[in-house]
Amino acid sequence: MSDLDQLPVAVIGAGPVGLAAAAHLHERALPYIVLEAGDGAGAAVRQWAHVRVFSPWRYNIDSAARRLLDEAGWVAPDPDALPTGADLVENYLQPLANLPRLKPHLRYGARVAAISRLGYDRLRTTGRESAPFLLRLTDGREILARAVIDASGTWGNPNVLGASGLPALGETEAAAHLEHALPDILGTDRARFAGRHTLVVGAGHSAANTLLSLAELAATAPGTEVTWAIRAPSPTRTYGGGDADALPARGALGSRLRSHVDAGRIRLLTGFSVHAITPADGRVAVTVRRGDAREQVTVDRIVAATGFRPDHTIAAELRLDLDPIMGATRALAPLIDPNEHSCGTVPPHGVDELAHPEPGYYAVGMKSYGRAPTFLMATGYEQARSVVAAIAGDWQAARDVRLELPETGVCRSDPAESVTGDDCCGPAVESTGKGLATGISGGLLAVPLDLVGTDEPATDRAGGCCGG
């Protein structure tokens, strides 16, 4: 065994995928340390604790974590129930982090500022692979590691509101009027939205959840107005696969949103490209471009549900090979590119697709997907399992990657290619068996949903998938 092998594997982030990596490292008897910037496990998940995910528990529990919890006498939740973010933390992540086998390896309040190789900047090559990784924390502490699994996610790095990838003119100055994804509209943030006009910008599931919460608020708070703006010419992609979705709650999400738009409770603006934001008499004027023309919409609040992007600056001294479009590895990018198949398939992938020219460094989880909004926790768990197996030298297990994702019922990413304009598939398209991934960026429920064609709340086999 080399001196490098005696060092711990450094895991960045104690969220679902970071703790899954820790569980697999424990099973492999590899030394490790988990560095979490927050004050507890699942710190980012706690920020959307009020939101109910629409992937049931069966997709949200890692296999190695499950084995450790079962050994400790854990009472598993109903596999068909839909957890909230709070449920994920209280009933899974925190019990996992508290296990005596994992707890001594977790460090909270440990934010990584930079990663390099000890004695090597990015330019130097000879002897590089035998040098340990050097992780410098924001408080000045330094940690040496044999490998790095970066599961820090993207939650703290939201996309800007401007349509060109740059902040809209005045976006920084108008920060007091802006909200990022998934405010608690029906709970702690209610006062900021009740009786006011809110503009939601974005076409993903986070936008859909926010819009449904606002529509519910408008039913009880007079004067509450809701406007939804998307860049695309049609909301077809957001509406999704409806009854064809293998996750009923995900299909119902788009169906209910469509009903609110059709009924006029949510005003829809298409071809909406944000150019500038200007505070005006306690409100904010949003200037948009529609082709060569410009117009203004004046509102009280703006929710920028425009997704997230990875921040690779902490790895600036490592040799990364990132796809210039996605910000994921070049091998993974074409498998998840939303320009091609965000509603198609997410093929099984593992260490080979996640590897960089810097041996021993892997980004897993949300961060591995770059800007693709198609992530499922189960995908991250399989990534972590594969990467840990590779670090342990078990390449057969590392490359035996298996992943089955629930179908969306949506077959194309471009609404212009749809067969009828009312859906993305048409009757002749055959399902592939794998579909659009879900999770914090890929799909959430914020309020109870009515199943299409009924007046009754959606239920699952547990008898209340959306209950509080």
Side-chain angles (χ1 to χ4, degrees), residues 380-405:
Y381 295 157
E382 184 62 1
Q383 289 178 342
R385 185 207 62 78
S386 175
V387 165
V388 170
I391 293 172
D394 187 353
W395 285 96
Q396 181 177 353
R399 288 171 172 149
D400 183 19
V401 183
R402 302 179 182 182
L403 180 65
E404 290 294 327
L405 302 180

Side-chain angles (χ1 to χ4, degrees), residues 190-231:
R190 187 181 191 277
R192 296 206 299 273
F193 297 93
R196 298 187 178 186
H197 185 182
T198 298
L199 171 68
V200 179
V201 181
H205 290 106
S206 295
N209 279 281
T210 297
L211 289 161
L212 292 177
S213 292
L214 286 166
E216 182 172 334
L217 178 64
T220 59
T224 302
E225 297 181 58
V226 188
T227 298
W228 175 27
I230 60 175
R231 299 176 192 171

Side-chain angles (χ1 to χ4, degrees), residues 53-186:
V53 303
F54 52 55
S55 53
W57 273 109
R58 67 173 68 255
Y59 292 110
N60 301 329
I61 300 173
D62 171 71
S63 58
R66 175 69 182 256
R67 290 189 287 270
L68 289 175
L69 287 165
D70 286 345
E71 289 175 7
W74 178 61
V75 178
D78 184 335
D80 295 314
L82 303 176
T84 62
D87 293 334
L88 285 171
V89 173
E90 295 168 11
N91 299 325
Y92 173 52
L93 297 179
Q94 197 60 61
L96 180 61
N98 286 341
L99 290 176
R101 295 182 178 183
L102 298 190
K103 188 174 182 179
H105 302 272
L106 272 63
R107 303 287 185 272
Y108 298 120
R111 183 179 295 277
V112 176
I115 312 168
S116 187
R117 292 273 194 178
L118 183 63
Y120 288 78
D121 61 17
R122 194 167 69 187
L123 184 63
R124 296 186 60 196
T125 299
T126 304
R128 184 179 190 88
E129 291 187 17
S130 61
F133 286 94
L134 171 66
L135 292 88
R136 179 172 294 170
L137 308 187
T138 53
D139 62 7
R141 287 179 291 167
E142 295 186 337
I143 295 170
L144 298 181
R146 63 178 290 187
V148 177
I149 300 176
D150 186 349
S152 57
T154 60
W155 177 257
N157 201 43
N159 284 327
V160 297
L161 191 60
S164 301
L166 303 176
L169 297 175
E171 185 169 337
T172 301
E173 293 76 10
H177 298 272
L178 296 180
E179 307 269 352
H180 288 295
L182 300 169
D184 189 3
I185 289 167
L186 299 175

